[in-house]
Amino acid sequence: MSWFIKYRPKSLSEVENQDQVKEELKRWIDSWLKGKPTNKAVLLYGRPGSGKTTLAYAIARDNNFEILETNASDTRNLGNIRRIVEVGMQQSSLFGKSKLILLDEVDGINRKSDEGAIQGILDIISETKYPIIMTANDPWDPKLKELRESAKLIEVPKLGKIAMRKILKKICEKEKIKCHDDAINIIVDIADGDARFAINSLESVATTYSEVAVNLVEGILRRKEAQYDPFETLRKTFWAKYGWQAKDAVTNSEVDYELLMRWFDENIPIQYEDTKSMTLAFESLSRASIFLSRAKKGNWDQLSYLFDMMGPGVSMADRTKALPTWKAKWKTFKFPSYIQMLARSKQIRREKQEYVEEIAKASHCSYDKALSEIYPFIEVIDKKKK
Amino acid sequence: MAEALWAEKYRPRTLSEIVNQKDIVNRLMKFVEEKNMPHLLFAGSPGTGKTTAALALVRDLYGDNYEQFFLELNASDERGIDVIRNKVKEFARISVQGDVKFKVILLDEADNMTSDAQQALRRIMEVYTSATRFILACNYLSKIIEPIQSRTALFRFYPLKKEDVITRLKYIAEEEGVSYDEKGLDTIYEVVSGDMRRAINLLQASSSYGKVTQESVFKVLGMTKPKEVQDMVKSALKGDFAKARESLRVLLVNEGLSGEDIIKQMHRIIFSNDMDMPEELRVIIADYLGEAEFRLTEGADDEIQLSAILARIVLLGEKYIGNK
């Protein structure tokens, strides 16, 4: 059993720090126990390893609740979520134990492949007889809007260094491992509030060397991969001297690859003033878009080529990079405006679409034909009428 | 809507109202007489009367309540083969009470179906043949697979003759109280080349400017021409990528055109006299357009594909026209 699970606090009282969160959770559960829940669901949010899932397990244990859990690794469509919850609810009468529903990592829901999942959760929230805890890293993700509005939001702040040090030292004692304070400090620094990462790191050093010393820690722990914001991703890609740097930039971006393509689409003409580089960069991006479409059709291996085209492909399109005189050019990047454009004109486009559909139906022809061959004439007539 | 569109308002209702395509009409009338028909394949360029003939045929067969015996599927409908199978099953399930023992399905723009879909369709045509007859309409006969061609009775629709088009336009103009001169109608015929629907649309649009004359016809044509696409290509050729891309986004977002529509229009434009560029360049751009269109069919993003094309045109413009 991994140490992270083995030493997971069994009760809220064992959880280091997080006093405010504990207090809020207790009050919420109490309201359930009194039969008058203030909220049916809470959404615990915070960075990875801050203790969201641990808190949910701890409070369930403290109240002798059984946990019904789904997380991102389950296929999470409407049917599945409902089934898990419904089966759980039926069983409850057999054991006489009350339950807590844990929907872990709700931001891992994929809007396309888990179609209906959000609605399914909303239904469960409105019908539930048991408290529901959801967890997410990023609660501001637009797809979580409805979940956000239907739950009480509780932030789980990242663990402080003192608390983290305490946790690691306690584990060392229990495992009877010789741990040097400086080595623990390095792990604490690198983990930056992520308890899962810290405990996993401690375990991997300890089980490899049966000792936790500075040189061993430094040798085995690579710095945790950074996540670049979109501006940083663009800058790192455009400024990369080598292909791997550009690949690193796009693969470690906090922006997902589909949205990242829009960022490049917007900013290639800004970064590349000479037409040849711009054209080559767009050619690469257009190749990337093909690999994306193949990946989405199920050939997920193709995704890796998307990153090659979007990162190194776009980066090396700069014809001057090979020259010794090359210098990175500082540019002010722009937000992808195409997405905003699409959002703003949604209403107008829908109206036009409905109009053309009507024409197509009346004219016994397809939508495309109505749009390209009949609509232009009607537009002339309508304009004149006005 | 149908009343507002003259092309619909004056669409012949019965076979006898169809003035041209005499041979076709006579053969179709035989089917009505015998209350029986094979599967039919209508081939011909747009606006030659394929849909009109199909609609008139079913109306003559079933009378005014033809709609319960008739199903129309065109390229906007989901035409995956399962969909067709289910729809056909559903439609054919209830048998017909009356003299005519079958129902009719019109598959319009059948040449847009993949050959796999056509293969499957052929099976469906065989299995359901007693309950349902198909009319397939297409622009290009060569895109219809051989096995379907051999199982259907072929009807070729030819572009309408000048006198047929002009007579019809005059009839409509008089019914609608629209004044016109001969030159105006001649001009309409010249630009539509035998496409009756386009001719009537053009007549209707031109009449909104008063008298239908050569001038008003050209005016409408100018307005319906894809000017935005032309402007976009011109901006790119002049080296103004930002402006070209702005046009592109207007076309995609505000005009609601698909990437493939835009590429097709660009393709038409680059070989027209409206665009001034070296002949060699037209060929090179066409090559890139073909590649981009293929990429779109593979599912690539249209805004990115077209941005890439525009960047390429900027580059080619520099090389061949030298604007920089």
Side-chain angles (χ1 to χ4, degrees), chain A residues 262 265-266 275 279 283 286 289-290 293-294 297 337 345 349 352 362-367 378 384, chain B residues 5 8 11 72 74 76 109 208 241 245 249 253 255 295 298-301 303-305 311 314 318:
Chain A
R262 292 273 160 236
D265 182 34
E266 192 70 35
T275 317
T279 307
E283 176 61 22
S286 106
S289 133
I290 295 176
S293 79
R294 289 181 186 153
K297 283 178 200 153
S337 57
S345 61
R349 276 181 299 141
K352 180 172 172 185
S363 305
H364 306 272
C365 67
S366 65
Y367 180 87
I378 294 180
K384 190 65 196 171
Chain B
L5 294 169
E8 289 311 311
R11 192 197 279 275
E72 218 179 330
N74 61 42
S76 356
E109 299 168 52
S208 61
F241 178 80
R245 180 140 84 169
R249 289 175 168 181
V253 175
E255 305 284 317
R295 290 177 181 182
E298 275 208 285
D301 181 272
E303 203 265 350
I304 289 175
Q305 286 306 321
V314 171
E318 282 174 14

Side-chain angles (χ1 to χ4, degrees), chain B residues 24 71 137 141 161 169 184 211 255 262 275-276 289 296:
Chain B
I24 292 172
L71 178 67
L141 189 57
K161 289 196 216 74
L169 291 180
K211 197 175 175 183
E255 305 284 317
I262 296 173
M275 296 308 292
D276 187 24
L289 288 176
L296 288 183

Side-chain angles (χ1 to χ4, degrees), chain A residues 344-375:
Chain A
R344 265 201 305 269
S345 61
K346 213 168 173 183
Q347 178 65 18
I348 302 168
R349 276 181 299 141
R350 185 177 307 134
E351 279 166 17
K352 180 172 172 185
Q353 194 185 339
E354 282 166 5
Y355 192 40
V356 175
E357 273 165 9
E358 215 181 308
I359 296 169
K361 192 156 183 288
S363 305
H364 306 272
C365 67
S366 65
Y367 180 87
D368 287 348
K369 212 167 185 175
L371 179 66
S372 63
E373 285 173 31
I374 305 177
Y375 179 76

Side-chain angles (χ1 to χ4, degrees), chain A residues 77-79 81-82 116-126 147:
Chain A
N77 55 41
L78 177 62
I81 287 189
R82 293 208 76 107
I118 299 276
Q119 189 53 47
I121 295 175
L122 289 172
D123 290 348
I124 291 165
I125 291 177
S126 76
L147 293 186

Side-chain angles (χ1 to χ4, degrees), chain B residues 248-311:
Chain B
L248 168 65
R249 289 175 168 181
V250 166
L251 286 164
L252 284 168
V253 175
N254 301 358
E255 305 284 317
L257 294 181
S258 70
E260 281 165 74
D261 285 337
I262 296 173
I263 289 183
K264 287 205 170 91
Q265 289 195 25
M266 287 172 80
H267 188 203
R268 229 172 288 149
I269 278 170
I270 54 159
F271 284 102
S272 80
N273 293 330
D274 297 329
M275 296 308 292
D276 187 24
M277 63 173 120
E279 298 308 308
E280 194 186 347
L281 182 52
R282 299 184 202 272
V283 178
I284 295 168
I285 294 177
D287 190 6
Y288 284 112
L289 288 176
E291 177 63 23
E293 193 181 320
F294 177 69
R295 290 177 181 182
L296 288 183
T297 61
E298 275 208 285
D301 181 272
D302 44 14
E303 203 265 350
I304 289 175
Q305 286 306 321
L306 281 153
S307 294
I309 282 283
L310 292 178

Side-chain angles (χ1 to χ4, degrees), chain A residues 307-327:
Chain A
F307 288 112
D308 292 345
M309 292 299 118
M310 183 161 64
V314 168
S315 177
M316 298 307 144
D318 186 341
R319 311 280 288 173
T320 59
K321 236 174 213 178
L323 303 174
T325 51
W326 181 79
K327 260 182 84 180

